[in-house]
Amino acid sequence: MPKPKKRGSNHQRGAGGQPRSVQPFSDEDASIETMSHCSGFSDPASFTEDGPEIDEEATQEDLEYKLKGFIDLTLDKSAKTRQAALESLKNAFSSKILYEFIMERRMTLTDSIERCIKKGKSDEQCAAAGLACLLCVQMGSGIESEEIFKTLGPVLKKIVCDGTASIQARQACATCLGICCFIVTDDITELYSTMECLENIFTKAYQRDRDTNGVSSTHNTVLHISALLAWTLLLTICPMNEVKKKIEMHLHKLPSLLSCDDLNMRIAAGETLALLFELARETDADFFYEDMELLTEKLRALATDGNKHRAKVDKRKQRSVFRDVLRAVEERDFPTEMVKFGPERMYIDCWVKKQTYDTFKDILGSGMQYHLQSNDFLRNVFELGPPVMLDAATLKTMKISRFERHLYNSAAFKARTKARSKCRDKRADVGEFF
């Protein structure tokens, strides 16, 4: 009788075209090897006093060895292997600055991303588009990034405008197109061309409200939202004369999207309106909007919405956003937010800054804090100056013990629970009764 084959034997053979299992870039890799914001390299409080010393040079070599393997696997015949490799590269790029490593391999990475977007299926295209965003974030604004965008820009536009491509892929490519253009484009013609491409997508949401034949469906709403947000991001870097043209073109049409059934579309439209009003008042202190009364009525209704057919979580989120939007439109006010990262803090004090921060936070995820500390491009965008260098002695004085952190978290949890209980008991949210 023939001997039975050992299970999993194929996974142990990498040569000869046999299938290979991809070990994804794990959380452990991110915390130790990539010095993510969750690790002691970005959070001074997490350094241990008597912990073992880490050989940074050996760790960096191990990381680069893994990343080289992932880059090779983006050309694998298996779609699952390619997608896993793309996701692993995304995790690494979002959690550590790898400028020198990427600089040497930028064309290889660009070719791999282009191939995956052109020939891959929906999930692979989404992963490749996300990696393209992170590639440009890592490289920052410069000649190298422009070369990357010149290669990927036409491919991204083609997918965005391709009605036969999956909605998820078109959505990811629209976001990628906006972010990459924001980072690298010095050519004003390319900026206007990209904005026009995105306009052609989200303006179809205007038509849907008047479409009685049901040609446009809610299936496309996620694409319209991504295109609108990417377009809004690019509007923040346009010359003022172009901003005026766009405001005249869209300000009277955007309020129609506030009646959309999709919560995220209503929020995107509301925040875009607030940003347009902010830009309009920067260009003209006496800016006057003819339908102000009708608009404020709509915004106030959304800020106090108590529709029983909507989920409570959605209603609370909507009311919170539109209270701020209403204040921006009526009172020219913005609720300042503070973002802490390491020993530094940043104040978000306008809608332009909020839109930019939210966009990069969505792309970088949990790595946003680390990049705010170390990424020269992002620090330049948010006017944070050069990275703050801290020596070991300073980091040690900033250390908080585990017991102190536990006490603080416990106290914060109790205070939060009490505050929420009072709100529930007193029905502090008056909007529930409308």
Side-chain angles (χ1 to χ4, degrees):
M1 293 179 64
K3 293 183 180 179
K5 294 182 180 178
K6 292 182 180 179
R7 296 183 62 184
S9 59
N10 283 342
H11 294 288
Q12 296 176 10
R13 297 197 302 269
Q18 294 295 331
R20 291 171 290 181
S21 61
V22 180
Q23 296 297 325
F25 198 87
S26 65
D27 292 337
E28 183 179 357
D29 295 326
S31 63
I32 295 175
E33 294 181 348
T34 67
M35 310 179 187
S36 76
H37 87 290
C38 297
S39 74
F41 291 95
S42 62
D43 183 4
S46 65
F47 272 92
T48 54
E49 294 178 2
D50 302 318
E53 294 184 2
I54 297 176
D55 186 348
E56 292 185 19
E57 187 175 344
T59 301
Q60 182 70 15
E61 288 178 1
D62 291 342
L63 169 62
E64 292 186 2
Y65 179 78
K66 276 192 173 186
L67 294 179
K68 289 174 187 175
F70 291 141
I71 292 172
D72 292 341
L73 289 176
T74 58
L75 302 175
D76 196 87
K77 290 183 179 180
S78 167
K80 286 186 177 180
T81 301
R82 292 195 304 271
Q83 186 181 338
L86 291 168
E87 293 291 347
S88 296
L89 288 169
K90 281 174 59 181
N91 290 339
F93 286 12
S94 65
S95 55
K96 183 174 175 164
I97 303 298
L98 297 162
Y99 181 82
E100 293 181 3
F101 175 84
I102 293 172
M103 175 66 81
E104 296 174 1
R105 299 164 181 83
R106 64 185 186 281
M107 297 314 297
T108 303
L109 281 163
T110 304
D111 292 342
S112 296
I113 291 169
E114 182 184 12
R115 180 187 177 91
C116 291
I117 292 176
K118 279 183 175 180
K119 299 185 177 181
K121 300 297 183 183
S122 177
D123 290 340
E124 185 180 342
Q125 289 174 314
C126 291
L131 181 59
C133 291
L134 292 168
L135 180 61
C136 287
V137 170
Q138 288 273 350
M139 298 300 296
S141 54
I143 297 174
E144 295 82 8
S145 297
E146 288 180 16
E147 291 174 355
I148 293 170
F149 187 63
K150 281 180 182 177
T151 302
L152 297 181
V155 181
L156 293 169
K157 287 180 182 178
K158 185 177 179 181
I159 298 295
V160 169
C161 300
D162 185 1
T164 61
S166 76
I167 291 295
Q168 291 75 19
R170 295 176 70 192
Q171 177 188 6
C173 288
T175 299
C176 179
L177 185 62
I179 291 174
C180 293
C181 185
F182 177 87
I183 294 171
V184 308
T185 301
D186 285 332
D187 182 3
I188 202 72
T189 307
E190 181 61 35
L191 174 62
Y192 293 164
S193 171
T194 302
M195 291 184 72
E196 184 180 356
C197 174
L198 296 169
E199 274 179 326
N200 291 336
I201 299 299
F202 76 79
T203 49
K204 292 177 182 176
Y206 299 155
Q207 300 168 8
R208 193 182 66 208
D209 292 334
R210 299 189 299 271
D211 188 4
T212 56
N213 298 322
V215 175
S216 296
S217 66
T218 54
H219 182 61
N220 294 322
T221 301
V222 289
L223 172 61
H224 297 156
I225 294 169
S226 295
L228 175 60
L229 293 176
W231 175 86
T232 306
L233 177 69
L234 294 180
L235 185 65
T236 63
I237 59 172
C238 279
M240 280 304 174
N241 59 340
E242 185 67 17
V243 170
K244 287 181 180 178
K245 291 179 185 177
K246 297 300 183 184
I247 289 173
E248 291 175 4
M249 188 185 303
H250 294 282
L251 193 56
H252 67 285
K253 295 179 181 179
L254 273 170
S256 66
L257 301 182
L258 298 176
S259 304
C260 180
D261 293 334
D262 189 278
L263 170 66
N264 292 321
M265 174 57 91
R266 294 196 299 273
I267 289 175
E271 292 184 339
T272 301
L273 278 168
L275 187 142
L276 289 180
F277 270 92
E278 182 176 271
L279 292 175
R281 286 162 177 164
E282 283 182 10
T283 58
D284 181 8
D286 299 322
F287 173 75
F288 176 75
Y289 180 61
E290 294 178 358
D291 299 325
M292 179 65 82
E293 188 175 346
L294 182 60
L295 177 60
T296 51
E297 281 181 14
K298 275 189 176 182
L299 295 176
R300 191 171 288 107
L302 290 167
T304 57
D305 186 15
N307 192 329
K308 293 183 179 179
H309 299 291
R310 288 178 181 153
K312 262 188 179 179
V313 175
D314 289 350
K315 284 188 287 186
R316 289 182 185 278
K317 183 179 179 181
Q318 175 181 287
R319 286 196 293 261
S320 174
V321 170
F322 280 97
R323 280 195 291 266
D324 294 339
V325 173
L326 183 61
R327 284 172 60 187
V329 173
E330 275 192 325
E331 305 170 20
R332 307 187 178 201
D333 190 22
F334 180 85
T336 302
E337 302 173 18
M338 183 179 69
V339 179
K340 292 183 179 179
F341 46 98
E344 299 177 87
R345 59 189 63 190
M346 175 179 72
Y347 292 94
I348 299 175
D349 52 6
C350 63
W351 285 98
V352 170
K353 205 168 186 178
K354 182 181 187 302
Q355 170 71 16
T356 308
Y357 177 80
D358 289 346
T359 299
F360 284 101
K361 186 180 178 183
D362 287 342
I363 291 297
L364 293 167
S366 59
M368 183 65 177
Q369 291 187 355
Y370 177 75
H371 277 265
L372 282 174
Q373 285 181 276
S374 309
N375 188 307
D376 289 331
F377 166 73
L378 279 186
R379 293 185 69 86
N380 184 44
V381 168
F382 293 108
E383 299 177 344
L384 297 171
V388 177
M389 304 301 293
L390 298 175
D391 55 23
T394 306
L395 291 172
K396 195 169 184 179
T397 59
M398 297 172 64
K399 176 179 165 51
I400 301 173
S401 69
R402 182 179 297 180
F403 181 65
E404 288 175 330
R405 287 201 301 272
H406 173 71
L407 290 179
Y408 173 80
N409 291 335
S410 298
F413 176 76
K414 288 179 182 178
R416 188 167 58 247
T417 303
K418 286 181 181 179
R420 288 177 177 173
S421 298
K422 286 180 181 178
C423 286
R424 292 191 189 100
D425 293 341
K426 295 181 180 180
R427 297 292 190 268
D429 199 344
V430 181
E432 289 290 340
F433 293 102
F434 285 88

